[in-house]
Amino acid sequence: MDAIEKAIRNALEKGNAEDRAFRERVYRAAFSALDRALKANPDVTVELAIKRRKAIQAKITEIESEFLPAVPDVGPRGDAPAIELGADSAPAVETGQQAPSPAAVDEPVQSAADTPRSASDAPRSRVLPVVPDIMPDAALPDAPSIDMSAPTPAGAAAEVAPDRDERRIRGRRLPLTAIFLTVTLLAAVGIGLFFAVQTGVFKTQAQLDTAPPQAPPTVDDDDFTPAEGGPAKPGAADQAHDWINVFSPTDASHVSAPSDAKAEVMKDDTGSFLRIRSGASGSAISFDVGQGVLEKLAGKHAVFDIIARSEEGKETQISVDCNFGELGDCGRKRYAVGQQQNEYLFDVKFPDKRPGSAGTIAINSDFDKQGKAADIYEIRVSVEP
């Protein structure tokens, strides 16, 4: 006895199985339980669900046949035509004969010779049991509960056709979609990298600069670029200018160094120089520009020349600021100073007025505030013709 038959028979034993209405309720409950079991299992395919419905319908037909009364053979031969009961319990005769009344199903039937015969002794015809319409369409509160979640007999699923569930088909296509998207993205990235290489995105500035190499600029002027454009070799500007001395190491009395800065006169084979070292705060060393010098420059275009070098082994950047009192200033200048002695020039256009006092030139020996020193050999100025 399989699980379907056992479940239905157990339900019939809980009530009056001879009552046809009760049996119908049991059959309806069986189908309801089957529907719940199928819905609870998402892996059940449409083909398998149909197969299980046909299996339960066959079992119901088989069980219902046991409750039918014996029917006499109404045909002339032993293989009389089959009678199938409809939904209204009235049997239909396949040969076209008139169907007997409903009472013929429930009561013994007399033979053609009017000889009484018991129902149990009467030969049975091929009568098909009534299988009522038991698809679940309403709740049955008085029907026994039936558990149809048990698996189908072995071999039942083996005959099921291939799964045609569209969701499963789409699931199997996902890898192909993923592969296509991956290949497309890789191709796009490859094309992008190719054009990036061709256009020089990954090249350095030096690789992109195909012009002839040039000397790095040594002057960084915050306000303007000096006319000479940078340092000149010592003596190169002497031929074109008459210089007025502003500072010389032989007279360092006109130099002022803040508390965290140093200024020391030194000498080596290049001559005497003043080694200045700005403090951690970036304070500058001031060089006085006498009032008499400024009177000579008033209303003129002047060129200042600072002859300097960096401390041995330590290149530095110096910054220069000027305060000429009523004659204005020179703006901030910045120079990259190497270990070789050079001239660092800047020019100033002075207004035509009388200066009321002396001025100053302030030099910071290390613009990056790393404590580097600069050697100042001379500061001088000349007037452009």
Side-chain angles (χ1 to χ4, degrees), residues 135-257:
M135 293 304 293
D137 55 1
L140 302 173
D142 56 346
S145 61
I146 298 178
D147 183 8
M148 299 297 295
S149 60
T152 56
E159 301 177 3
V160 179
D163 187 4
R164 297 297 181 181
D165 192 347
E166 290 299 328
R167 293 174 297 178
R168 297 176 182 272
I169 294 175
R170 287 196 297 269
R172 288 194 292 268
R173 291 177 180 173
L174 282 179
L176 295 178
T177 303
I179 293 174
F180 174 76
L181 291 177
T182 303
V183 172
T184 303
L185 290 175
L186 290 177
V189 172
I191 294 174
L193 290 175
F194 174 77
F195 281 105
V197 172
Q198 293 296 319
T199 55
V201 172
F202 300 108
K203 291 183 179 180
T204 63
Q205 187 65 29
Q207 292 173 328
L208 292 174
D209 187 7
T210 57
Q214 299 179 356
T218 56
V219 178
D220 186 0
D221 186 356
D222 290 353
D223 295 331
F224 68 97
T225 302
E228 288 75 10
K233 293 296 182 181
D238 291 348
Q239 300 176 358
H241 299 277
D242 293 328
W243 295 104
I244 302 170
N245 183 268
V246 175
F247 162 77
S248 174
T250 57
D251 183 10
S253 60
H254 299 288
V255 178
S256 300

Side-chain angles (χ1 to χ4, degrees), residues 329-358:
D329 57 37
C330 62
R332 172 169 291 187
K333 312 290 184 293
R334 204 164 43 154
Y335 304 91
V337 179
Q339 300 178 40
Q340 299 296 325
Q341 181 180 345
N342 281 316
E343 297 182 7
Y344 300 90
L345 307 171
F346 63 92
D347 59 349
V348 179
K349 181 71 170 92
F350 287 100
D352 189 7
K353 61 171 61 177
R354 182 179 178 83
S357 62

Side-chain angles (χ1 to χ4, degrees), residues 29-92:
F31 266 97
S32 296
L34 176 62
D35 281 347
R36 290 193 299 270
L38 294 177
K39 292 177 180 179
N41 187 357
D43 295 332
V44 175
T45 63
V46 176
E47 290 82 358
L48 182 55
I50 295 174
K51 191 174 185 66
R52 295 198 67 177
R53 289 179 182 275
K54 289 183 178 180
I56 191 174
Q57 187 173 7
K59 284 298 176 184
I60 292 174
T61 302
E62 179 181 343
I63 294 172
E64 183 65 16
S65 66
E66 299 177 5
F67 296 94
L68 291 177
V71 179
D73 189 356
V74 296
R77 296 181 305 276
D79 55 347
I83 300 175
E84 182 176 356
L85 299 181
D88 56 355
S89 301

